[in-house]
Amino acid sequence: MDLSGRSFLKEIDFTKVEFLSLVDLAVELRDAKRAHAEHRALEGRNIALIFEKTSTRTRSAFEVAAHDQGAHVSYLGPGETQLGKKETIKDTARVLGRMYDGIEFRGFGHSDVETLAEFAGVPVWNGLTDEWHPTQMVADILTMRDYSIKLLESVAYCYLGDCRNNTANSLLVTGALLGMDVRVCGPRALWPSAEVQGIAHELATHSGARVLVSDDVPAAVSGADFLYTDVWLSMGEPVEDWSTRIAELVPYQINQRVMGLTGNPATRFMHCLPALHNTDTEVGQMISNNFALEALEVTDDVFESPASVVFDQAENRLHTIKAIMVATLMDGAKPRP
């Protein structure tokens, strides 16, 4: 599958076949790394990593993947560029595109990464924006393949919680693209936008996917092979917003009762991390002190259970991000304008 020179900004940038080719390549690269037999396909390439938002897994995965493949990286963290401040994104793109072979962007508005891709003249990869999280999705699908013997089209997964965030958007659209049984479940006020739901339903008409958006936990999780959640809120939000959000989302917490509602003893738990599953962090302690809760989106007994595959899922960020870079850079970036 020739993806040379292509950017990856959102899941629907690739067809089902192209998306799954990245998963297949990730398996090959993972096997090669574990066998200490990796071919350095990106020797001498230079990659810019632009982070407007801090990160653990995304930054680590891009850096280690690039180094494994022989590439060099420049990390440009929050406040370390003039992006959108003293210099337009368009101008920054045209400068970086002359110095780097590929650019990763993790930031806020999705239009920013689209502008980078339009004007850089080299592949641009979305490490996360407020709307989409495509690199996470490749890792998630690899993880589901690792832990299910079913054909991918027969796999059912349900995301519970704040269904309007980037992870929920991407999970809904990815499942629809790949013809899977995808459900998102949360309060109606926090459902995906009509636009995102429309994209998913349109994809499903071609792929045969089963798409469900619901506020009914027992119905949504019934028979699911995977339950998935994400953080409910971000630091910096007013405390009064935390109170409202927590009250809305407590019924959608993944705990042992909800795991049991699937009726599937093989159900696995997934989370893109970080997770507020205990009180061992500053935020976790604040939640305990202010709201008398020991956990938010997932309880510790689920997170630490044999059903949890979150750390394999996290490791798969490395292998799938490596696959994305290799596939889009291996034969050279597209010609600069």
Side-chain angles (χ1 to χ4, degrees):
M1 185 63 59
D2 184 9
L3 300 179
S4 175
R6 299 271 294 275
S7 290
F8 190 30
L9 310 183
K10 55 187 180 301
E11 292 73 16
I12 58 175
D13 288 343
F14 292 151
T15 65
K16 174 181 178 178
V17 173
E18 290 170 337
F19 188 104
L20 293 178
S21 76
L22 293 173
V23 178
D24 292 338
L25 178 57
V27 173
E28 294 177 20
L29 293 170
R30 183 174 65 184
D31 290 346
K33 181 177 176 66
R34 291 174 177 175
H36 305 288
E38 198 160 353
H39 169 65
R40 292 160 70 89
L42 301 181
E43 195 77 52
R45 301 302 177 92
N46 293 291
I47 294 168
L49 306 178
I50 302 175
F51 280 78
E52 293 184 336
K53 295 182 178 181
T54 57
S55 167
T56 299
R57 278 149 296 280
T58 302
R59 177 180 177 179
S60 299
F62 269 100
E63 289 195 354
V64 174
H67 293 154
D68 281 352
Q69 286 290 306
H72 307 283
V73 299
S74 297
Y75 173 76
L76 304 171
E80 293 185 350
T81 72
Q82 302 299 333
L83 192 72
K85 301 183 183 79
K86 293 183 179 179
E87 183 173 54
T88 66
I89 297 171
K90 178 179 175 180
D91 290 354
T92 300
R94 290 182 289 186
V95 170
L96 295 181
R98 291 171 179 263
M99 298 182 182
Y100 294 96
D101 299 291
I103 300 169
E104 178 275 347
F105 176 83
R106 180 183 177 92
F108 296 93
H110 190 74
S111 61
D112 293 346
V113 76
E114 289 181 331
T115 301
L116 278 174
E118 181 180 358
F119 292 99
V122 299
V124 173
W125 313 294
N126 177 5
L128 176 145
T129 59
D130 288 347
E131 289 86 1
W132 304 107
H133 201 354
T135 58
Q136 178 70 51
M137 293 303 105
V138 187
D140 291 347
I141 296 302
L142 173 56
T143 306
M144 291 182 196
R145 283 205 344 192
D146 286 341
Y147 281 96
S148 179
I149 61 173
K150 295 181 178 180
L151 293 174
L152 196 63
E153 292 82 359
S154 298
V155 170
Y157 64 88
C158 181
Y159 172 93
L160 295 100
D162 183 352
C163 299
R164 62 184 180 175
N165 68 17
N166 46 30
T167 300
N169 289 344
S170 287
L171 284 167
L172 188 64
V173 167
T174 297
L177 174 70
L178 301 182
M180 301 175 71
D181 182 342
V182 53
R183 307 102 176 252
V184 297
C185 182
R188 288 177 179 268
L190 300 179
W191 279 4
S193 69
E195 179 183 4
V196 170
Q197 292 191 53
I199 293 170
H201 285 294
E202 175 63 23
L203 289 168
T205 62
H206 302 287
S207 69
R210 287 78 68 209
V211 173
L212 174 69
V213 179
S214 175
D215 59 0
D216 184 334
V217 173
V221 304
S222 178
D225 300 293
F226 298 90
L227 297 188
Y228 195 126
T229 191
D230 194 4
V231 292
W232 289 349
L233 26 74
S234 301
M235 289 301 292
E237 292 186 78
V239 173
E240 55 268 24
D241 290 354
W242 285 55
S243 301
T244 301
R245 189 76 54 78
I246 289 170
E248 286 180 307
L249 290 173
V250 162
Y252 300 92
Q253 180 189 72
I254 297 182
N255 47 45
Q256 289 292 354
R257 182 188 69 85
V258 172
M259 292 290 286
L261 286 173
T262 67
N264 180 359
T267 300
R268 303 285 186 164
F269 169 72
M270 299 178 69
H271 195 303
C272 54
L273 303 181
L276 291 172
H277 60 96
N278 58 28
T279 60
D280 293 346
T281 62
E282 290 182 10
V283 178
Q285 192 59 58
M286 186 274 284
I287 294 295
S288 177
N289 292 340
N290 287 277
F291 303 102
L293 291 170
E294 297 299 304
L296 286 189
E297 69 273 11
V298 58
T299 54
D300 202 50
D301 57 351
V302 171
F303 187 89
E304 297 290 358
S305 74
S308 177
V309 297
V310 297
F311 296 110
D312 288 336
Q313 182 185 358
E315 180 193 336
N316 281 337
R317 295 298 308 283
L318 166 63
H319 309 301
T320 50
I321 281 172
K322 186 182 294 182
I324 292 164
M325 291 194 292
V326 168
T328 56
L329 291 178
M330 192 155 48
D331 295 321
K334 61 187 177 184
R336 296 186 176 97

